[in-house]
Amino acid sequence: MTFTLTEAEAAASVPADLLDADFYAFQHLLTDREQSALRDIRAFLDTEVRPFADDLWERAESPRHLVPRIAELGLYGNGFAETRRFENSNVFRGWVALEIARADPSLATFIGVHSGLAMTSISVGGSAEQKAEWLPRLGAGELVAAFGLTEPGHGSDTARGLETTAERRGDHWVLNGAKRWIGNGAFADLVVIWARDVADDQVKGFLVRTPAVGFSASKIERKQSLRGVENADILMTDLVVPERDRLQHIDGFRDLAVVLRLTRAEVAWQGLGVAVGAYEAALAYAKARIQFGKPIASFQLVQQKLAVALSNITASIALSVRVSQMQDEGIQRDHHSAMAKAFVSARVRETVALCREICGGNGIQLGGESQVDGIPPGYGVARYFADAEAVYTFEGTYDMNTLIVGRAITGIAAFT
Ligand code: FAD
């Protein structure tokens, strides 16, 4: 009996152009056309994104110069017919999100806010005129969008606590309030603002064109996770928004929940990209780093960490593929997305910690060219380690998504 694969067996077990971390070859479920598109996207990310990601992260800058290039590749739009270039599935979109986050989680979040949260808000809640006005230009990368839900005093409890007010006065509305953590918020051309109608107490969505009198946004500094996403604090003081810029098909928080249901599944894929990026960095490091005269990859305890990391990734891919298939089948509910986001982000957190540990002291340094006495840097594992914390927290914290699943299991809401 042999315990090692021959080179030919190893080559046959994983097709050369599939992601090695896709251990169970889930990418075989994609069509040839989708696999080929994914290869092109990966090539773009490897040459135009990955080499610059650490520097942008350190400088806390979004890769705004990539906005038109990403549009050319057809990566904006959340699978909606109005904007998508590929005739593809949510499973495919998930793999794209994974690939982008694998190269740069900050870029994945930038796109997730613009294309996922903001464009999906318009796709779900906009009238035909609003979709026609905004989606093509956002899809073409002519404009950048943001999504303003979270407030300084309300993150997890926005459904009941949202304090930003909207008051109708004739053919326009007057908005007052504050928003926090708004990705792309300091430079976006369009910000989807969620506010409570003082007349009926319902949450409504508004398309705020910036700059605008009564609207100010300032970049949040000293962030230590997803530094390549520029988040903003937003203040609105008697901001006037015409009725034609109110999302016409949003009548309350339930409609906003539809947006989150659709985007949350993609956030699970994004988290997966963070885990895969860290795993690949740790594996490369483990093969290169010599201790006790051998590569550390030859030690059982290091192999165990790599095996746990890959098992986490494999289980998370299985869950994410299925939830995206359910989205394609039209049977995905809030609790399905919530379980995927909660489960995957918890596994991601464990995975990046193991991967950082494998890289030892070098695992807390950003990657780059620097080598001291032949010691390879930590291949950027530190960036994935830090970025996992934000993914664990946004689009519903682990706790909130778990409570959504708990409500589905028991029929009892335990949020308060
Ligand atoms: P809190 O709600 O204050 O929660 C603090 C802790 O208490 C958490 O652990 C939470 O799970 C726990 N908790 C709260 N309530 C309960 C409960 N009932 N039971 C058990 N535990 C509970 N928002 C936007 O609107 N647009 C964006 O573009 C955006 N981008 C973001 C980007 C980044 C990098 C980050 C960090 C955040 C972003 N957010 C954005 C905000 C994000 O969605 C919130 O941070 C998130 O919803 C959590 O809210 P909070 O930070 O106010 O935490």
Side-chain angles (χ1 to χ4, degrees):
M1 186 183 286
T2 60
F3 291 96
T4 50
L5 291 179
T6 64
E7 274 187 28
E9 281 169 339
S13 63
V14 181
D17 58 354
L18 284 186
L19 204 59
D20 283 349
D22 178 16
F23 202 55
Y24 284 4
F26 279 102
Q27 289 188 5
H28 281 176
L29 300 176
L30 297 173
T31 64
D32 289 347
R33 185 158 172 256
E34 288 171 337
Q35 288 191 30
S36 143
L38 208 54
R39 271 196 295 275
D40 293 347
I41 291 164
R42 193 178 301 152
F44 156 75
L45 292 165
D46 282 344
T47 53
E48 294 184 49
V49 174
R50 189 186 286 270
F52 312 104
D54 278 340
D55 285 344
L56 284 168
W57 198 92
E58 197 161 36
R59 294 205 306 271
E61 282 174 21
S62 291
R64 291 189 225 173
H65 62 285
L66 290 174
V67 170
R69 188 73 186 90
I70 293 165
E72 268 169 38
L73 286 165
L75 300 186
Y76 298 134
N78 197 31
F80 288 90
E82 294 92 339
T83 55
R84 73 182 186 192
R85 289 199 181 165
F86 303 111
E87 282 305 315
N88 48 48
S89 62
N90 283 296
V91 179
F92 174 77
R93 305 288 323 172
W95 281 108
V96 172
L98 183 156
E99 285 288 353
I100 298 171
R102 172 179 169 240
D104 183 359
S106 292
L107 178 64
T109 304
F110 172 90
I111 296 174
V113 170
H114 167 84
S115 166
L117 287 165
M119 287 178 72
T120 306
S121 298
I122 299 170
S123 296
V124 168
S127 63
E129 293 75 28
Q130 288 172 327
K131 290 182 200 180
E133 177 175 4
W134 293 106
L135 292 180
R137 295 176 74 198
L138 294 169
E142 284 170 29
L143 304 172
V144 171
F147 174 92
L149 174 63
T150 305
E151 299 182 344
H154 301 283
S156 299
D157 70 346
T158 45
R160 59 157 44 198
L162 201 78
E163 284 183 61
T164 299
T165 55
E167 188 179 347
R168 179 128 191 204
R169 293 189 195 156
D171 63 356
H172 65 269
W173 296 78
V174 178
L175 270 54
N176 279 288
K179 297 288 174 186
R180 180 153 174 78
W181 288 121
I182 308 311
N184 311 343
F187 57 84
D189 306 285
L190 174 73
V191 185
V192 180
I193 291 287
W194 300 94
R196 195 176 295 283
D197 183 348
V198 294
D200 63 7
D201 211 32
Q202 294 299 316
V203 171
K204 299 193 169 148
F206 298 87
L207 301 172
V208 174
R209 303 160 193 253
T210 66
V213 176
F215 178 96
S216 68
S218 53
K219 180 175 164 180
I220 295 175
E221 303 288 355
R222 297 156 67 110
K223 200 153 54 83
Q224 297 303 318
S225 178
L226 290 178
R227 285 176 56 78
V229 179
E230 296 182 45
N231 294 84
D233 278 318
I234 289 177
L235 260 183
M236 289 157 289
T237 312
D238 293 332
L239 171 68
V240 175
V241 180
E243 161 62 11
R244 72 180 155 85
D245 284 344
R246 180 181 63 80
L247 286 170
Q248 299 294 315
H249 299 312
I250 299 286
D251 293 320
F253 202 90
R254 273 176 188 280
D255 298 322
L256 166 56
V258 173
V259 176
L260 298 176
R261 180 202 308 158
L262 295 171
T263 55
R264 238 169 222 162
E266 202 155 307
V267 175
W269 282 99
Q270 241 182 61
L272 254 165
V274 177
V276 171
Y279 166 78
E280 290 172 338
L283 178 58
Y285 187 87
K287 288 178 175 172
R289 174 71 171 165
I290 307 292
Q291 288 293 282
F292 296 92
K294 295 190 223 169
I296 60 170
S298 65
F299 299 128
Q300 289 180 350
L301 291 175
V302 172
Q303 289 195 5
Q304 188 262 355
K305 291 181 183 79
L306 289 167
V308 171
L310 188 56
S311 304
N312 282 344
I313 288 167
T314 305
S316 298
I317 292 177
L319 205 76
S320 302
V321 164
R322 183 59 197 141
V323 85
S324 292
Q325 285 174 336
M326 291 172 82
Q327 197 165 337
D328 287 332
E329 292 164 18
I331 58 170
Q332 170 217 32
R333 306 270 306 276
D334 293 349
H335 43 266
H336 298 130
S337 311
M339 179 185 279
K341 202 276 174 175
F343 178 87
V344 172
S345 62
R347 298 283 66 78
V348 171
R349 210 182 191 200
E350 182 189 34
T351 303
V352 297
L354 290 169
C355 292
R356 198 227 51 81
E357 192 180 342
I358 289 170
C359 295
N362 290 321
I364 63 164
Q365 190 189 19
L366 290 176
E369 298 305 313
S370 64
Q371 290 216 2
V372 182
D373 295 334
I375 299 171
Y379 295 95
V381 76
R383 183 163 49 88
Y384 299 104
F385 178 74
D387 288 350
E389 286 303 302
V391 175
Y392 187 74
T393 300
F394 63 35
E395 293 236 13
T397 63
Y398 174 82
D399 297 328
M400 298 317 291
N401 281 303
T402 300
L403 290 172
I404 292 171
V405 177
R407 181 181 57 189
I409 297 169
T410 62
I412 304 166
F415 298 96
T416 56

